[in-house]
Amino acid sequence: MPQSITRSLIFRAGLAMVGIVVLALTSMLGSIMIAETAGGDAAAINQAGTLRMQAYRLLSTRLQESVDSDVLHQRLEHFDADLTSPVITALIPEDPQHPLTKRYASVTEMWQDMLRPALLDTEARPPQALADQIVQFVSEIDNLVGQLQREAESRIQMLRLLQGIVLFLTLVLVLVAMYKLVNDVVPPLRELFHVVNRVRHGDFAGRLAYENNDELGLISRTINQMNESLSRMYAELEQRVEAKTAELKRSNESLRLLYEAARQLNSSTPGSEDFRDVLERLEQVTGLGPITLCLSQGEAERAYQRISTQLGDRPDFCQAPDCGPCLSGERVPPRVRPVVVSESDRRYGVLLMQHPAGTPPLRWQMDLVETVAGLIATALSLAQNNDEQRRLALMDERAVIARELHDSLAQSLSYLKIQVARLQSLIRQQASPADQDAVIDELREGLSSAYRQLRELLNTFRLKMVEPGLEAALNETVREFAQRGEVKILFDYELRHCPLTPNEEIHVLQIVREALSNVVHHARAENCDIHLQTTESGQVRVSIRDDGVGLPEQHARLNHYGTTIMDERAVGLGGTLEMHNRAEGGTQVVLCFTPQVTAGSESVTLLGGVQ
């Protein structure tokens, strides 16, 4: 039988069960066999016991004087039949040396040789002698019965012995099985449960020391292999989780760096300190450095500004003022990586990143540096664009001022110059004082008009929206004009859902101010309503109504400069301006235009507007 089978716990448990079953069957079969053999003992003892009574009956029958020989012969045959009955002979062993065989042979021989002939011979022996023989024969029968009883008791004793032996062997087998169970099965099972419980709580370091070639040994080796595999797997998973966590942390730091850099560089015109903060943060996140930013003008061979995270703002490899090799990226040390700072094919400089020798930067580090370089380039591009926008706005503003001066003061001064020439001509011609006074009145009126135009231009060019938003600026304007005159001004603003550009807000504010100026100085009104709303077509509608005297027939001539400016501002907004008298009295000025947020077009700077 293979050794692996003999060491199997199931096989050994089966052997124990088979042993117990065999012992139980042996006990049962032995009990059955002994019970079968002892089944005739009582009948044989009883049958042998009747022989004694029959012997005395034969003696009694023989001593009777008038005994019938047939009756005697019948009883003798009956005694012979009982003596040789299978009930008795079945228990007699075939071994002639057996005590029971000898006792039975002695009884049979005494019956056949001595007592039977004596009972048949009615005259040969006296009754007393016959009675002595009967007593002797009965004594032999008693010995036979006693021997039968002892044989029966020996069988019972054998049954007891057999059951005792079987019980003892069963107990021994059970004790051996329990001993093996306690010593060979329970300890490894307890250790197995302990290791499995540790595995259930996530501890895969437990190992089983049981190495026998049985089922528990196989389970132990399997669990050891499983724990070892799970330990390796969890170690790999932990390493991967740590790597992913570090990657996520690095990504978060990179995103935070990009966000802070974009906010810091784009919030205002960036300076050297802003760039230095971004570079230091970049060096901290990437773990590389020092990092140097060299800024240049286009394709210039020399940097106009150098910002570095290294102490002294000058890296070890710097060859300034010979900046061409670094700016072009052609000749830099092996441990320096150049990243061009450019935006829309326009170069602003180079970002030089140092790294340890033999340890080139990783892909994510280079991507982050390139992204920061792009942010720096975008900030520089926006700063230059803002400067260009401010330069263009300043030029446009100067052009507007020049045009306004030409259309107003220049024409007025030309008119005054002509009047002065007329006055000089009249003086030389010694014209009448009336003609001279007429020219002087025209000069006075022209000077007043020029002065008024100058004041209006100054108010126009000095206007600033100090308050944030059009609504606040209009509220401030309403308070200003309400304090100038005795006009009650009602203001209704319904454009909170419609954003306007700064240019549109300036134009609307100027038109409202000009209209209020006319109401305060010319209309002689008591009430004025200002209403801003949007129409169903998406246009902005600005209405200024008053209850004054209304417009004169030649209102275009009166205060012509203000109305002209209002018309030009309306045209600059791409809208229309209407001025008419109301049926119930007073004047109404209506401005309608489509805002850029609806039209989707770019704003136009006119009359000092801010774009």
Side-chain angles (χ1 to χ4, degrees):
M1 186 176 296
Q3 188 176 7
S4 60
I5 296 179
T6 58
R7 292 185 177 181
S8 172
L9 292 176
I10 298 177
F11 178 75
R12 286 184 280 179
L15 285 181
M17 295 298 296
V18 168
I20 293 174
V21 171
V22 168
L23 290 176
L25 290 177
T26 302
S27 176
M28 288 188 292
L29 291 177
S31 299
I32 292 172
M33 292 175 61
I34 293 174
E36 287 293 332
T37 57
D41 289 345
I45 292 174
N46 187 33
Q47 186 75 20
T50 60
L51 293 178
R52 292 177 293 187
M53 184 177 291
Q54 291 180 27
Y56 285 116
R57 288 175 61 188
L58 289 173
L59 177 60
S60 175
T61 302
R62 173 65 181 74
L63 293 178
Q64 290 180 1
E65 295 181 356
S66 57
V67 63
D68 189 357
S69 59
D70 293 334
V71 174
L72 180 61
H73 282 86
Q74 184 180 0
R75 291 182 176 178
L76 290 174
E77 291 176 358
H78 185 268
F79 188 89
D80 288 334
D82 290 342
L83 181 61
T84 59
S85 173
V87 175
I88 298 176
T89 58
L91 299 178
I92 304 303
E94 296 180 359
D95 186 8
Q97 300 299 325
H98 197 275
L100 183 57
T101 305
K102 291 181 179 180
R103 292 292 181 185
Y104 181 73
S106 175
V107 171
T108 304
E109 183 180 355
M110 182 177 291
W111 168 256
Q112 294 292 340
D113 295 341
M114 182 183 69
L115 189 57
R116 182 181 177 84
L119 293 173
L120 292 174
D121 187 6
T122 58
E123 297 180 355
R125 291 184 181 182
Q128 185 61 37
L130 185 57
D132 294 337
Q133 291 179 350
I134 289 298
V135 171
Q136 185 179 0
F137 182 70
V138 169
S139 178
E140 288 296 327
I141 291 175
D142 289 339
N143 292 333
L144 177 61
V145 171
Q147 189 63 39
L148 287 173
Q149 185 177 357
R150 284 191 295 274
E151 289 296 328
E153 291 176 353
S154 65
R155 291 188 182 92
I156 294 174
Q157 188 68 27
M158 184 181 299
L159 177 60
R160 292 176 179 172
L161 180 61
L162 176 62
Q163 291 181 345
I165 293 174
V166 170
L167 179 60
F168 175 74
L169 293 178
T170 302
L171 290 176
V172 170
L173 185 59
V174 170
L175 290 176
V176 171
M178 291 298 296
Y179 176 79
K180 290 293 185 181
L181 179 65
V182 171
N183 289 276
D184 296 342
V185 178
V186 173
L189 276 179
R190 187 182 296 112
E191 186 180 3
L192 177 63
F193 290 155
H194 177 67
V195 173
V196 170
N197 189 47
R198 292 177 62 182
V199 171
R200 187 169 63 89
H201 290 84
D203 182 10
F204 302 102
R207 296 293 184 271
L208 295 169
Y210 190 79
E211 298 180 353
N212 290 350
N213 294 326
D214 52 17
E215 289 81 358
L216 288 178
L218 178 60
I219 294 175
S220 300
R221 290 189 294 272
T222 303
I223 290 180
N224 289 339
Q225 294 175 359
M226 180 187 68
N227 282 350
E228 186 174 355
S229 300
L230 289 175
S231 298
R232 289 197 302 269
M233 187 190 324
Y234 266 76
E236 294 175 358
L237 288 176
E238 288 178 356
Q239 292 178 356
R240 293 175 62 183
V241 168
E242 291 178 357
K244 290 294 182 181
T245 303
E247 184 177 353
L248 288 175
K249 183 178 179 181
R250 184 172 61 244
S251 299
N252 290 334
E253 292 179 351
S254 300
L255 291 175
R256 187 180 297 109
L257 166 64
L258 296 177
Y259 169 74
E260 294 176 353
R263 184 181 63 178
Q264 185 173 4
L265 294 177
N266 296 326
S267 60
S268 60
T269 303
S272 59
E273 293 302 324
D274 298 323
F275 289 128
R276 190 186 308 277
D277 292 340
V278 172
L279 296 180
E280 289 177 352
R281 180 63 177 160
L282 178 62
E283 180 180 355
Q284 180 182 359
V285 173
T286 58
L288 303 175
I291 301 177
T292 304
L293 174 63
C294 295
L295 300 178
S296 63
Q297 291 287 349
E299 301 297 331
E301 296 294 328
R302 183 174 179 178
Y304 67 86
Q305 188 174 15
R306 180 177 59 252
I307 304 170
S308 177
T309 59
Q310 187 174 357
L311 186 63
D313 283 343
R314 186 184 182 97
D316 301 336
F317 58 87
C318 182
Q319 301 294 328
D322 184 14
C323 301
C326 290
L327 293 176
S328 62
E330 296 176 355
R331 295 197 306 272
V332 294
R335 60 186 182 88
V336 177
R337 286 292 182 92
V339 177
V340 177
V341 180
S342 62
E343 173 74 15
S344 301
D345 297 332
R346 186 173 181 178
R347 292 172 60 96
Y348 296 96
V350 65
L351 195 64
L352 303 172
M353 178 180 59
Q354 297 177 248
H355 59 86
T359 307
L362 301 178
R363 182 68 262 172
W364 71 268
Q365 294 172 324
M366 290 300 302
D367 292 341
L368 184 58
V369 173
E370 292 174 357
T371 304
V372 172
L375 291 176
I376 294 175
T378 302
L380 293 173
S381 176
L382 290 176
Q384 291 185 358
N385 290 336
N386 290 334
D387 293 339
E388 188 69 23
Q389 290 292 334
R390 286 194 294 270
R391 188 179 300 109
L392 292 176
L394 180 60
M395 294 175 64
D396 291 341
E397 195 71 22
R398 290 178 177 178
V400 169
I401 294 173
R403 188 188 66 186
E404 295 300 332
L405 290 175
H406 176 269
D407 294 341
S408 58
L409 287 179
Q411 294 180 3
S412 298
L413 292 176
S414 297
Y415 172 75
L416 292 175
K417 183 178 180 181
I418 294 173
Q419 297 300 326
V420 169
R422 286 182 57 196
L423 180 61
Q424 289 177 346
S425 176
L426 290 174
I427 293 174
R428 284 195 300 268
Q429 296 176 4
Q430 296 181 355
S432 64
D435 293 335
Q436 295 181 12
D437 291 338
V439 174
I440 293 172
D441 291 338
E442 290 181 2
L443 283 172
R444 186 181 295 108
E445 182 179 355
L447 286 174
S448 299
S449 177
Y451 180 73
R452 185 176 61 254
Q453 291 176 7
L454 177 61
R455 292 294 301 271
E456 290 174 351
L457 285 174
L458 290 177
N459 289 334
T460 299
F461 295 139
R462 288 177 178 177
L463 177 65
K464 295 182 180 180
M465 292 184 63
V466 181
E467 298 294 332
L470 177 60
E471 183 179 6
L474 288 175
N475 280 320
E476 182 64 25
T477 299
V478 168
R479 285 194 297 269
E480 176 186 347
F481 281 93
Q483 292 175 357
R484 288 186 184 180
E486 297 179 354
V487 181
K488 182 179 180 181
I489 303 175
L490 179 63
F491 177 53
D492 187 11
Y493 187 87
E494 297 182 1
L495 296 181
R496 296 180 181 87
H497 62 285
C498 181
L500 301 178
T501 64
N503 181 58
E504 292 170 341
E505 292 179 349
I506 288 291
H507 284 314
V508 171
L509 178 60
Q510 287 286 18
I511 291 175
V512 172
R513 287 181 64 87
E514 186 63 33
L516 288 177
S517 177
N518 291 334
V519 170
V520 171
H521 294 99
H522 306 291
R524 297 197 297 274
E526 296 180 357
N527 297 286
C528 179
D529 295 339
I530 303 174
H531 189 197
L532 284 80
Q533 63 180 1
T534 56
T535 64
E536 295 181 355
S537 60
Q539 285 189 328
V540 174
R541 185 176 185 272
V542 182
S543 173
I544 303 98
R545 299 182 303 177
D546 64 76
D547 57 357
V549 297
L551 294 173
E553 294 180 359
Q554 298 180 352
H555 68 275
R557 181 178 179 182
L558 179 63
N559 194 25
H560 66 281
Y561 175 75
T563 58
T564 302
I565 292 297
M566 291 170 66
D567 289 333
E568 290 181 354
R569 291 187 183 278
V571 173
L573 290 174
T576 60
L577 181 71
E578 297 181 359
M579 300 177 61
H580 59 270
N581 291 326
R582 301 169 59 199
E584 59 272 21
T587 307
Q588 182 174 10
V589 179
V590 178
L591 169 67
C592 291
F593 68 95
T594 301
Q596 290 186 18
V597 69
T598 303
S601 61
E602 295 183 356
S603 61
V604 179
T605 301
L606 288 176
L607 300 178
V610 179
Q611 183 172 352

